[in-house]
Amino acid sequence: MPDIARLSPRQKTLALITLVIALVLEIVDMTIVNTALPAIKASLGANSQASQWIVAGYSLAFALLLMAGGRLGDSFGYRRMFLWGVIGFTLASAACGLATTGTQLVGARLLQGAAGAVMAPQAMALVQVLFDPLERVSRMAMFGIIGGLASIAGPILGGILIEANLFDLGWRVVFLINLPVGLGAVIAGLVFLPEARSGRPAGYDLTGMALFGLAMAALFWPLIGAGEAGRGAGHFITMLAVPPLVWAGWRHVARRVDRGQSALFDPALFAIPTFRKGLALSITFSALTAGFLLVFAFALQAERGQSPLFTGLLHMPYGFGAMFGIGVMSRSYLPRFGRLVPVVGASMMVPACAGVLYGSTVGQWPWALVGALLVMTGAGMGMTVGCIGPIAVSKVDRDHAGSASAMMKTTQQLGSALGVALIGSLYFAVSVRPALAGLAAIELLLLACIVMAFNLPSRMFDAD
């Protein structure tokens, strides 16, 4: 086990590469399944509810356990929990690849998300341990770039693997490919990662986790698959439990904070207007982007008859646009123009998303035109999502930086699950031109994002 004080620059680089491998593993598996979903649905005979849970279950489990995963690392050591997270993720991936029913695959995906929630926070914590503050700037920027590339690579890799049909495994290979990668990450972690833990472990708030977890389950269970035939009003009765559970959870964490005990989050953060509005914008925007990518990948294959490989490759223009929007537009113009950058970005997506989904299905436009619109869609997405994080934490005290960042990540994952639930249910419920039904929901959410962004303060980055 390496001693942090004695690590050479080369050893630190090898440790960083180990963490990057795990980061890519976690992010790719969020998006790789979109391309594979039609093949999975056909192979396992999964209904629309199971299909949505296969996508949303991962994000939901990840979101609900993310804060707990960070606290496990504080208490038991970042290296140890990182290794356990990678092992759990690898075993869950094997279970996904061996699943014979939709229910089995949903269960395995929930385990994947839970293991990812243990693994991911330790990578961020170990970067803090390995590098001094100045070094962290470039390392964290690299994590952001690689994370963006990994999310783009997921659908592309899924299409390539299904088309290659390695060992006649079909869609299963998109999960089984994680086994050698996970094994390599475990070995590298044992060799290169130092042991470290927080000097002041944060403790646990199991009751808070349970209350908010039950609230999310009561919300998502009826929403996912809501469009299936035979669903009456009784199917949505669990949603009545959401408000009292959220209220009880809020009261609980507020009391713990008042008593100086560890809590799931600090309610005082929500008194900061930019943070409160940034979270609302984050969850809404994450919902529409996740819904868009799900409908786009499924509709290309189910409505336009394209192969998984072509579907994956068509995500590349979107990815290039997103990289430009995040790396150039939002970074360059957010300090100068503030809220106008996400307003313009979301506004660009309104006609671009409409053109992509209509043109690639009903209109059957030339692929070159669809690709150009995908670049515009990605650029608008990057301009918006690249601003949400900095805006939300712009007025957050540094003492709350860690919990604020964790809450941002949690709302992004919850938003993704919500988008799959709402937009996916609408898509699968409509038999005639379902992509246009999904598009209607996407456009409404985009308009809501424009309004939210416009209601942000006009000047957010002035010195206090």
Side-chain angles (χ1 to χ4, degrees):
M1 183 188 308
D3 180 1
I4 298 173
R6 297 180 179 178
L7 288 177
S8 67
R10 178 178 176 275
Q11 289 173 312
K12 288 184 177 182
T13 299
L14 291 171
L16 184 65
I17 292 172
T18 302
L19 300 176
V20 167
I21 292 171
L23 173 75
V24 171
L25 196 66
E26 170 235 319
I27 293 177
V28 163
D29 267 65
M30 288 186 185
T31 56
I32 196 171
V33 74
N34 282 343
T35 309
L37 192 58
I40 293 171
K41 192 172 187 289
S43 172
L44 299 182
N47 59 20
S48 61
Q49 183 180 22
S51 299
Q52 291 170 77
W53 272 110
I54 289 167
V55 181
Y58 181 99
S59 294
L60 186 58
F62 191 100
L64 293 179
L65 297 175
L66 181 63
M67 291 188 184
R71 295 180 189 278
L72 285 171
D74 288 337
S75 298
F76 298 107
Y78 306 127
R79 176 179 181 269
R80 177 184 299 176
M81 297 316 303
F82 174 84
L83 292 172
W84 278 116
V86 175
I87 291 169
F89 193 94
T90 305
L91 293 175
S93 298
C96 288
L98 298 174
T100 57
T101 68
T103 301
Q104 290 177 8
L105 183 53
V106 168
R109 286 286 285 174
L110 289 169
L111 291 175
Q112 257 194 328
V118 174
M119 176 175 66
Q122 320 318 328
M124 296 296 104
L126 283 167
V127 170
Q128 300 257 40
V129 169
L130 285 165
F131 302 101
D132 62 40
L134 187 59
E135 290 175 319
R136 285 177 212 151
V137 175
S138 60
R139 270 55 174 197
M140 295 303 291
M142 185 189 72
F143 262 55
I145 294 170
I146 291 175
L149 290 173
S151 65
I152 296 162
I156 300 170
L157 181 61
I160 292 172
L161 290 174
I162 294 173
E163 189 77 15
N165 195 23
L166 298 175
F167 308 108
D168 202 31
L169 290 170
W171 60 266
R172 298 178 187 277
V173 75
V174 303
F175 299 112
L176 297 177
I177 194 69
N178 291 341
L179 273 62
V181 178
L183 179 60
V186 170
I187 294 172
L190 289 169
V191 175
F192 300 123
L193 294 181
E195 184 60 89
R197 70 180 69 195
S198 172
R200 292 168 37 184
Y204 301 97
D205 181 9
L206 296 179
T207 302
M209 287 174 52
L211 288 170
F212 283 100
L214 287 171
M216 292 302 102
L219 173 66
F220 280 93
W221 183 259
L223 287 180
I224 294 180
E228 286 191 339
R231 294 288 175 96
H235 176 72
F236 298 91
I237 196 168
T238 62
M239 296 179 73
L240 296 176
V242 175
L245 284 169
V246 170
W247 178 83
W250 187 276
R251 288 287 302 272
H252 169 79
V253 298
R255 284 197 299 266
R256 288 184 69 90
V257 169
D258 289 341
R259 293 196 294 259
Q261 298 174 308
S262 62
L264 195 61
F265 60 87
D266 188 345
L269 285 169
F270 289 87
I272 304 170
T274 47
F275 184 75
R276 183 175 64 248
K277 295 177 180 181
L279 283 189
L281 181 57
S282 175
I283 198 167
T284 307
F285 193 75
S286 296
L288 76 89
T289 52
F292 170 79
L293 291 173
L294 173 68
V295 171
F296 177 61
F298 207 96
L300 277 178
Q301 298 175 71
E303 297 183 47
R304 191 78 184 260
Q306 296 301 315
S307 68
L309 176 59
F310 183 85
T311 299
L313 293 175
L314 201 56
H315 283 72
M316 292 179 68
Y318 177 85
F320 293 142
M323 291 169 61
F324 176 76
I326 294 171
V328 178
M329 300 300 290
S330 63
R331 186 177 64 179
S332 301
Y333 295 110
L334 177 61
R336 292 172 56 191
F337 298 107
R339 67 184 181 189
L340 291 181
V341 181
V343 167
V344 172
S347 299
M348 285 171 54
M349 292 181 69
V350 173
C353 287
V356 167
L357 292 182
Y358 178 84
S360 59
T361 56
V362 179
Q364 300 202 12
W365 293 350
W367 292 119
L369 177 56
V370 173
L373 288 168
L374 280 166
V375 172
M376 182 176 172
T377 303
M381 187 279 286
M383 288 175 65
T384 309
V385 78
C387 295
I388 292 174
I391 286 172
V393 300
S394 62
K395 300 299 181 183
V396 172
D397 187 272
R398 288 184 178 181
D399 290 340
H400 294 295
S403 58
S405 297
M407 289 188 70
M408 283 296 301
K409 181 73 171 176
T410 298
T411 57
Q412 288 168 1
Q413 298 301 319
L414 285 174
S416 295
L418 187 63
V420 172
L422 292 173
I423 299 172
S425 291
L426 187 58
Y427 177 83
F428 289 116
V430 176
S431 57
V432 179
R433 298 180 176 177
L436 298 187
L439 174 61
I442 291 165
E443 296 289 276
L444 286 174
L445 289 174
L446 273 171
L447 292 175
C449 286
I450 293 169
V451 172
M452 289 183 198
F454 197 77
N455 282 325
L456 290 167
S458 57
R459 304 175 72 179
M460 292 167 283
F461 300 98
D462 297 332
D464 291 329

